[in-house]
Amino acid sequence: MKKIWAVLFCFISLFVQSQNEQLANNYFDRGEFEKALLNYEELLKVQPANFNYFIRTIECYQQLQQYDKAEKALVDRITKYKQSNTIVELGYNYQLQKNQSKATKYYDDCIERISKNPTDVYSIAYQFEKRGLVDYALKAYQTALDKEPKFSFNYQMALLYGQKGDLDMMIEKFLTEAYVNPQNLVMIQNQLNRFMTEDSTVTFNDSLKKALLTRVQKTQDVFWNEFLSWFYVQNKEYGKAFIQEKAIYKRNPETFANIVNLAQLAVEENEPEVAKEILEFVLANTQDLDLQIQSHSYLMEMKIAKATEKDYPTIDAELDNLIKEFGVSPFSLSLLKIKAEFATFKLKNPELGKTILKNALEMPLDKYQIATLKMELGEVLLYEEKFNQALLYYSQVETDMHNDVIGQEASFKTAKTSYFKNDFEWANHQLKVLKSASTQLIANDALDLFLLISDNTVEDSTQVALKKFARADFLLFQNKTTDALAAFQAVLKEHKGEPIEPIALLRIGKIYEKQNDFTSALSQYKQIIDNHKECIYIDEALYFSAEIYNQQNNTENAKPLYEALIMNHQDSIYFVNAQKKYRQLRGDKDI
């Protein structure tokens, strides 16, 4: 019974102490230092050796400007426990009183202690860092390294150099640490990436690139080729990354998967020329059936994207030859899907598209392959304006893959089909949920469509303009470009000055761009820039215009458009790309 009471008493004591500590911390966080001090002093009576309670007590004295009490407590602590980090606090107590000479004396004493006992660096350097004494923290680490070279403080020192703004030394320490301890590579790259993606980091990017190139040239170690490839990928310079990956592959053929991943990135980031070069390299260097089909599929998709009608027979024959070469099987599913889409939207033969997809669904497939084919079949049925049948397939994918990205994509297709049917209320009901989708692209598309419907419903409850616009959008979906252009122009003419105007101008501009009529495209975007400065499409008009001028090597017109987007639309999805292009046009150093 005595043992039970003893255990119960200990439990109650620990619970009470935990409650008191939480109360003290709450008072401290709220700036009620007198109340916090009383609680920390009580906690110290129970646990006098607890350093955290002690430091919080000292901080309360300092906040209340009771420096004498803080000094006495610190001196007593040093005498009793001989803790070196407490000496840092004593120096800091003098610094708060603007007595820098005495503060320096104690700081220097700490450095001297490290030189005699290097293991003291852990507690002393941490305390220096905590008090923002960066130079002394660096000095502490360096003193320990001078005495004990086996120590490793590259990561800690890199962070401190970063705080100081000494980016070259930060890079040096991070790269050294990455090479010595590769297990920390990802953590270090995450730190570097923070600096690379910030607004004013042109100099940093150049310095990091120079440091990596120097190591590649000096050591011939593939570690640095891999690091440099990572750097180029972060900056979306996939061609330069490919050069590094080829160099790595020549020395280590097992790294072929990295080249395949790079090809996928180039495709996703719409870098067709670079993607083509990488994919052709993949085809020339692999016998893997999956990789061959995947590469051919990417190449065909890029070829179709830039093809004109006169190219269609050649592409159709090429697709047939590839399907014949690889056979009709689950392995060639991507080629079959491309063929069905091409037959429907380019050759205007949806019956052939449906036949290919329905036959493919008869094969033994996994749930992802089935979902992909059903999504494509829904697209073909939507092309034929068989809305309800299309919705049936989309809803099946939604149900079967509700926890997957393709399930969210099916949900968006469902909402868009409702939009095409002019069932705007139901479409917006679905889009409200999709605005917070885990996939950013789907979330952005959902938000765009939600705003289009909402903005054009407020002033026009009958939604006359929106219905006409949705029909024009549907014609665009069907790849009936001429009819779509005429429909958008009619909307623009009949509803000038209404909320629908800027988005109609944007759609017309994109159609002209696709037709390589860049003068007409720029004219549409300029109307948005000049007359609709407050609309949500202004960033797109600025970016698309800048891109056209940039492709025409018209730097004088491109630069101010990129700059306007950067200065006024930091939340735009085009912000990062605009930044990069603007820096290139400005002539920022590119090593």
Side-chain angles (χ1 to χ4, degrees), residues 22 92 103 281 312 495 502 569:
Q22 187 176 357
Y92 187 69
F281 180 86
Y312 291 170
H495 299 277
H569 305 282

Side-chain angles (χ1 to χ4, degrees), residues 428 432 449-459 466:
N428 255 11
K432 279 180 185 178
L449 188 54
F450 178 82
L451 292 173
L452 169 64
I453 295 171
S454 301
D455 290 350
N456 291 281
T457 301
V458 175
E459 294 183 17
L466 185 59

Side-chain angles (χ1 to χ4, degrees), residues 51 55 74 77-78 82-91 110 113 120 122-128:
F51 187 74
I55 285 297
L74 286 162
R77 184 87 176 185
I78 293 166
K82 307 293 190 294
Q83 292 171 313
S84 299
N85 53 348
T86 313
I87 300 173
V88 176
E89 285 301 313
L90 185 56
C110 289
R113 284 170 178 261
D120 277 357
Y122 295 102
S123 59
I124 290 173
Y126 172 77
Q127 212 61 33
F128 278 137

Side-chain angles (χ1 to χ4, degrees), residues 309-504:
E309 201 165 336
K310 65 181 177 60
D311 301 316
Y312 291 170
T314 304
I315 291 173
D316 193 38
E318 196 172 339
L319 277 169
D320 287 341
N321 288 334
L322 285 169
I323 292 170
K324 185 177 179 181
E325 178 185 348
F326 292 106
V328 175
S329 73
F331 291 105
S332 60
L333 207 59
S334 59
L335 289 170
L336 295 171
K337 179 174 169 291
I338 292 168
K339 172 69 177 180
E341 188 176 329
F342 182 75
T344 302
F345 290 92
K346 301 297 184 183
L347 303 181
K348 314 299 182 190
N349 187 353
E351 285 302 322
L352 176 57
K354 282 192 294 186
T355 301
I356 292 169
L357 295 168
K358 286 181 177 179
N359 287 340
L361 279 168
E362 297 298 318
M363 297 188 294
L365 305 170
D366 63 37
K367 64 176 184 177
Y368 290 99
Q369 292 171 320
I370 292 170
T372 300
L373 288 175
K374 284 184 175 181
M375 285 281 282
E376 193 59 41
L377 194 49
E379 296 288 272
V380 176
L381 291 164
L382 186 55
Y383 174 91
E384 294 183 303
E385 301 192 43
K386 295 176 180 177
F387 298 113
N388 291 335
Q389 290 183 47
L391 285 169
L392 181 64
Y393 279 104
Y394 294 146
S395 64
Q396 287 176 10
V397 177
E398 275 186 87
T399 302
D400 296 340
M401 309 294 288
H402 64 279
N403 288 327
D404 199 88
V405 172
I406 196 170
Q408 291 186 343
E409 189 181 342
S411 298
F412 179 69
K413 296 281 187 186
T414 301
K416 197 157 191 182
T417 303
S418 300
Y419 161 70
F420 288 146
K421 286 177 65 182
N422 292 344
D423 189 353
F424 301 125
E425 186 176 347
W426 178 240
N428 255 11
H429 174 74
Q430 295 164 305
L431 292 166
K432 279 180 185 178
V433 178
L434 285 167
K435 285 190 299 177
S436 57
S438 58
T439 305
Q440 192 59 48
L441 184 61
I442 294 173
N444 288 339
D445 288 344
L447 178 61
D448 286 346
L449 188 54
F450 178 82
L451 292 173
L452 169 64
I453 295 171
S454 301
D455 290 350
N456 291 281
T457 301
V458 175
E459 294 183 17
D460 181 9
S461 58
T462 58
Q463 301 166 324
V464 175
L466 185 59
K467 288 173 183 175
K468 294 176 185 175
F469 189 89
R471 181 60 190 172
D473 253 350
F474 183 67
L475 291 169
L476 200 56
F477 164 80
Q478 290 179 305
N479 198 35
K480 297 176 181 178
T481 309
T482 304
D483 293 341
L485 179 59
F488 283 125
Q489 287 171 331
V491 170
L492 200 59
K493 182 179 178 181
E494 295 163 14
H495 299 277
K496 191 158 185 64
E498 295 180 25
I500 205 81
E501 183 179 356
I503 183 62

Side-chain angles (χ1 to χ4, degrees), residues 174-426:
F174 270 141
L175 296 188
T176 301
E177 175 65 14
Y179 189 73
V180 173
N181 294 304
Q183 70 272 16
N184 295 332
L185 178 62
V186 173
M187 181 171 65
I188 288 165
Q189 287 178 336
N190 287 340
Q191 287 288 348
L192 291 170
N193 199 36
R194 281 198 313 113
F195 284 85
M196 289 165 63
T197 54
E198 286 174 5
D199 191 3
S200 55
T201 56
V202 179
T203 304
F204 176 79
N205 283 5
D206 289 342
S207 297
L208 179 55
K209 190 193 300 183
K210 182 178 179 180
L212 290 169
L213 283 168
T214 301
R215 283 164 172 76
V216 167
Q217 292 159 3
K218 279 186 178 179
T219 67
Q220 302 299 308
D221 191 317
V222 293
F223 177 86
W224 298 116
N225 296 95
E226 291 168 351
F227 211 132
L228 189 56
S229 175
W230 168 85
F231 172 84
Y232 286 134
V233 167
Q234 304 313 302
N235 285 283
K236 300 187 178 181
E237 297 178 277
Y238 302 111
K240 292 179 181 179
F242 181 44
I243 293 170
Q244 299 304 317
E245 291 298 340
K246 278 195 294 185
I248 298 164
Y249 173 71
K250 285 176 184 176
R251 283 180 273 178
N252 182 10
E254 292 182 4
T255 60
F256 194 71
N258 293 342
I259 293 177
V260 175
N261 292 337
L262 188 61
Q264 291 174 324
L265 275 175
V267 170
E268 290 166 8
E269 293 293 334
N270 196 26
E271 295 281 353
E273 295 307 316
V274 176
K276 182 182 177 185
E277 183 185 0
I278 302 172
L279 289 166
E280 287 173 347
F281 180 86
V282 171
L283 287 172
N285 289 277
T286 185
Q287 297 301 314
D288 185 283
L289 188 65
D290 279 343
L291 285 180
Q292 287 183 347
I293 292 173
Q294 185 183 16
S295 298
H296 279 301
S297 298
Y298 281 138
L299 286 167
M300 290 307 303
E301 285 176 338
M302 288 188 291
K303 192 174 287 187
I304 291 168
K306 58 189 284 190
T308 58
E309 201 165 336
K310 65 181 177 60
D311 301 316
Y312 291 170
T314 304
I315 291 173
D316 193 38
E318 196 172 339
L319 277 169
D320 287 341
N321 288 334
L322 285 169
I323 292 170
K324 185 177 179 181
E325 178 185 348
F326 292 106
V328 175
S329 73
F331 291 105
S332 60
L333 207 59
S334 59
L335 289 170
L336 295 171
K337 179 174 169 291
I338 292 168
K339 172 69 177 180
E341 188 176 329
F342 182 75
T344 302
F345 290 92
K346 301 297 184 183
L347 303 181
K348 314 299 182 190
N349 187 353
E351 285 302 322
L352 176 57
K354 282 192 294 186
T355 301
I356 292 169
L357 295 168
K358 286 181 177 179
N359 287 340
L361 279 168
E362 297 298 318
M363 297 188 294
L365 305 170
D366 63 37
K367 64 176 184 177
Y368 290 99
Q369 292 171 320
I370 292 170
T372 300
L373 288 175
K374 284 184 175 181
M375 285 281 282
E376 193 59 41
L377 194 49
E379 296 288 272
V380 176
L381 291 164
L382 186 55
Y383 174 91
E384 294 183 303
E385 301 192 43
K386 295 176 180 177
F387 298 113
N388 291 335
Q389 290 183 47
L391 285 169
L392 181 64
Y393 279 104
Y394 294 146
S395 64
Q396 287 176 10
V397 177
E398 275 186 87
T399 302
D400 296 340
M401 309 294 288
H402 64 279
N403 288 327
D404 199 88
V405 172
I406 196 170
Q408 291 186 343
E409 189 181 342
S411 298
F412 179 69
K413 296 281 187 186
T414 301
K416 197 157 191 182
T417 303
S418 300
Y419 161 70
F420 288 146
K421 286 177 65 182
N422 292 344
D423 189 353
F424 301 125
E425 186 176 347
W426 178 240

